[in-house]
């Protein structure tokens, strides 16, 4: 039995990963400021405690867990670049995360962020993060200030499409071990067998289809010679948000796919693209018709089972919120491979 706790919990990707792995576990706590994410989470999982605000929590009273997971926001550090460890992070949500790690000392942690975190402020932001966390980094001794937490830290950019799900989503994962004796390697890539078409629903509501007027508007643009086509390549940057698709007339060629400004139209056989939370506008071309991906399809592309979606809908979650939640979530399959590698530590030590 393993205990887990999550901050910035979203819709519970780590919890779903443990279910997928068949690992017996108990959720000691979860935390998210978004009331709709909380609603989706509680429709599917039953933590002992759900906190609404990490900044108002007493970390000394927050339950200990074996595995701590947080997909933390990347706020700018007010003193980034001065490399003063904890002092650099004060006033940010990352500081609150550190306080939990400092007080409860979980065996393992997984932190997740966008790939751009590595280069933010010429790498100084990420350097500050390592200053706060690490005794060693990727097995190499790391010179850190005295107040660092002394974890053995590994980090790497992983792409969802390398772990069984047809979505091109790169994120940096930071994995930490409390104890000196441990065994960890990032999971190896596996061949991608699924394509986008394998994730699509057979029948979808007409509300997800673009109107003839909108399609004609695209066709009449200065770029009407570039029509959506069916391909087998990899697409990038699908933005998911509200209910209304938005296209502009500034297409950019992405391999064998088409991107209209902030929007992507991909063929039914496309391999992958990246779900985002800040904007809608992606569509798939099926039998000369173009429609948006459905919330169920977006959740599938993050590794969630259909049962998760239906529990959310039964609880009254709107399409708008489910699009946002799918775009914000960590991919379940990536989390499952990471957790599996972490738990190998239990078998060897």
């Amino acid at each position: 039995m393993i205990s887990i706790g999550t901050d910035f919990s979203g819709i519970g990707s780590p919890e779903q990963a443990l279910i997928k792995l068949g690992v017996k576990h108990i959720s000691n706590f979860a935390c998210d400021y978004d009331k709709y994410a909380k609603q989706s989470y509680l429709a599917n999982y039953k933590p002992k405690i759900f906190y609404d605000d990490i900044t108002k929590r007493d970390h000394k009273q927050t339950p200990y867990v074996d595995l701590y997971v947080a997909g933390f926001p990347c706020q700018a550090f007010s003193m980034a670049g001065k490399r003063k460890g904890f002092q650099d992070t004060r006033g940010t949500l990352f500081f609150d995360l550190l306080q939990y790690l400092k007080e409860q000392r979980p065996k393992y942690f997984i932190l997740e962020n966008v790939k751009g975190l590595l280069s933010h402020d010429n790498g100084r932001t990420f350097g500050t993060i390592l200053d706060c966390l690490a005794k060693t980094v990727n097995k190499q001794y790391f010179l850190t200030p005295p107040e660092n937490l002394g974890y053995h830290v590994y980090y790497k950019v992983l792409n969802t499409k390398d772990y069984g799900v047809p979505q091109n989503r790169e994120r940096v994962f930071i994995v930490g071990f409390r104890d000196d004796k441990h065994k960890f390697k990032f999971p190896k890539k596996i061949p991608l067998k699924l394509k986008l078409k394998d994730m699509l629903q057979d029948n979808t509501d007409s509300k997800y289809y673009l109107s003839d007027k909108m399609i004609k508007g695209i066709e009449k643009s200065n770029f009407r010679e570039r029509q959506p086509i069916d391909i087998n390549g990899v697409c990038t940057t699908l933005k998911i948000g509200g209910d209304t698709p938005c296209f502009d007339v500034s297409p950019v060629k992405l391999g064998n796919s088409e991107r209209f400004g902030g929007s992507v139209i991909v063929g039914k056989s496309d391999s992958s693209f990246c779900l985002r939370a800040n904007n809608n506008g992606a569509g798939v071309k099926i039998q000369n018709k173009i429609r948006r991906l459905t919330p169920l399809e977006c959740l599938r592309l993050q590794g969630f089972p259909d049962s998760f979606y239906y529990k959310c809908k039964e609880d009254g979650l709107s399409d708008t919120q489910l699009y946002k939640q799918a775009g914000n979530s960590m991919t379940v399959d990536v989390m499952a491979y990471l957790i599996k590698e972490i738990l190998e530590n239990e078998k060897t030590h």
Side-chain angles (χ1 to χ4, degrees):
M1 177 73 74
I2 183 174
S3 59
I4 183 173
T6 59
D7 279 320
F8 317 105
S9 303
I11 54 177
S13 171
E15 293 85 346
Q16 194 65 53
L18 286 167
I19 293 171
K20 184 180 182 71
L21 290 170
V23 173
K24 292 184 179 180
H25 64 280
I26 184 168
S27 176
N28 281 351
F29 72 90
C31 177
D32 205 286
Y33 189 76
D34 187 304
K35 67 178 184 179
Y36 296 109
K38 177 181 180 180
Q39 186 179 348
S40 289
Y41 185 101
L42 293 178
N44 286 275
Y45 316 110
K46 304 300 178 187
K48 287 185 175 180
I49 306 173
F50 196 104
Y51 298 99
D52 293 327
D53 190 343
I54 189 176
T55 66
K56 297 178 180 179
R57 193 173 75 205
D58 183 348
H59 298 293
K60 291 182 178 180
Q61 300 299 319
T62 305
Y64 165 86
V65 295
D66 300 313
L67 173 64
Y68 174 74
V69 185
F72 64 99
C74 179
Q75 297 167 289
F77 297 162
S78 60
M79 298 176 67
K82 297 187 178 181
R83 301 298 292 271
K84 293 186 178 181
F86 276 40
Q87 293 182 41
D88 280 1
T89 67
R90 290 184 186 277
T92 70
L93 292 172
F94 185 74
F95 178 77
D96 297 284
L97 175 163
L98 287 173
Q99 294 306 301
Y100 175 78
L101 290 174
K102 183 177 181 180
E103 294 295 341
Q104 298 300 333
R105 305 286 298 169
K107 284 184 181 179
Y108 326 107
F109 65 72
I110 302 174
L111 308 181
E112 180 260 11
N113 212 296
V114 296
K115 183 175 70 170
L117 177 65
L118 295 174
S119 57
H120 184 266
D121 195 16
N122 293 318
R124 287 185 285 268
T125 296
F126 193 69
T128 297
I129 288 172
L130 296 181
D131 280 342
C132 295
L133 296 171
K135 179 178 180 180
T136 62
V137 178
N138 291 353
K139 295 186 178 181
Q140 299 298 315
Y141 182 73
F142 191 65
L143 295 176
T144 57
E147 67 267 27
N148 82 89
L149 295 178
Y151 276 83
H152 301 279
V153 168
Y154 301 78
Y155 70 90
K156 188 174 182 179
V157 174
L158 303 180
N159 196 323
T160 291
K161 70 182 178 66
D162 294 324
Y163 299 97
V165 179
Q167 184 191 169
N168 187 25
R169 185 184 191 87
E170 291 184 300
R171 295 293 185 267
V172 60
F173 290 89
I174 307 169
V175 179
F177 288 80
R178 182 187 66 198
D179 299 328
D180 291 341
K181 292 184 178 181
H182 61 276
K183 178 182 178 182
F184 178 75
K185 292 182 180 179
F186 278 99
K188 295 180 180 179
K189 298 178 182 181
I190 64 172
L192 181 61
K193 297 180 180 180
L194 296 175
K195 296 181 179 180
L196 174 59
K197 65 181 181 180
D198 299 313
M199 315 302 282
L200 301 182
Q201 295 176 248
D202 292 331
N203 299 296
T204 55
D205 194 289
S206 59
K207 68 180 181 180
Y208 296 110
Y209 284 84
L210 273 66
S211 66
D212 291 340
K213 182 178 180 180
M214 181 170 287
I215 294 174
K216 287 180 180 179
I218 295 172
E219 291 174 344
K220 290 179 180 179
S221 73
N222 293 330
F223 303 94
R224 56 182 175 271
E225 72 276 11
R226 293 186 176 181
Q227 299 299 316
I229 55 176
D230 289 332
I231 57 152
N232 285 296
V234 175
C235 297
T236 61
T237 314
L238 168 63
K239 298 181 178 181
I240 293 294
D243 285 326
T244 306
C246 55
F247 292 85
D248 65 33
V249 292
S250 304
V252 178
K253 192 75 174 179
L254 296 177
N256 291 319
S257 66
E258 298 293 337
R259 174 176 172 181
F260 291 80
S263 305
V264 180
I265 303 177
V266 295
K268 186 176 179 181
S269 58
D270 283 304
S271 295
S272 56
F273 41 75
C274 179
L275 295 174
R276 294 186 177 180
N278 62 340
N279 186 24
N280 192 19
V284 289
K285 180 183 178 183
I286 303 174
Q287 296 178 345
N288 295 320
K289 293 183 179 181
I290 300 172
R291 68 165 175 83
R292 289 170 290 147
L293 292 175
T294 68
L296 174 58
E297 291 165 345
C298 292
L299 287 166
R300 286 175 177 175
L301 284 162
Q302 288 288 48
F304 287 88
D306 289 3
S307 59
F308 182 95
Y309 166 80
Y310 290 116
K311 288 179 181 178
C312 290
K313 294 304 290 184
E314 288 173 6
D315 209 53
L317 272 297
S318 68
D319 281 5
T320 299
Q321 293 303 324
L322 291 175
Y323 278 131
K324 179 181 177 182
Q325 291 165 17
N328 278 332
S329 180
M330 294 178 277
T331 306
V332 171
D333 297 65
V334 177
M335 290 301 304
Y337 279 104
L338 279 174
I339 292 172
K340 183 179 179 181
E341 290 294 329
I342 289 171
L343 294 183
E344 287 295 318
N345 181 75
E346 293 291 307
K347 298 178 182 179
T348 56
H349 296 93

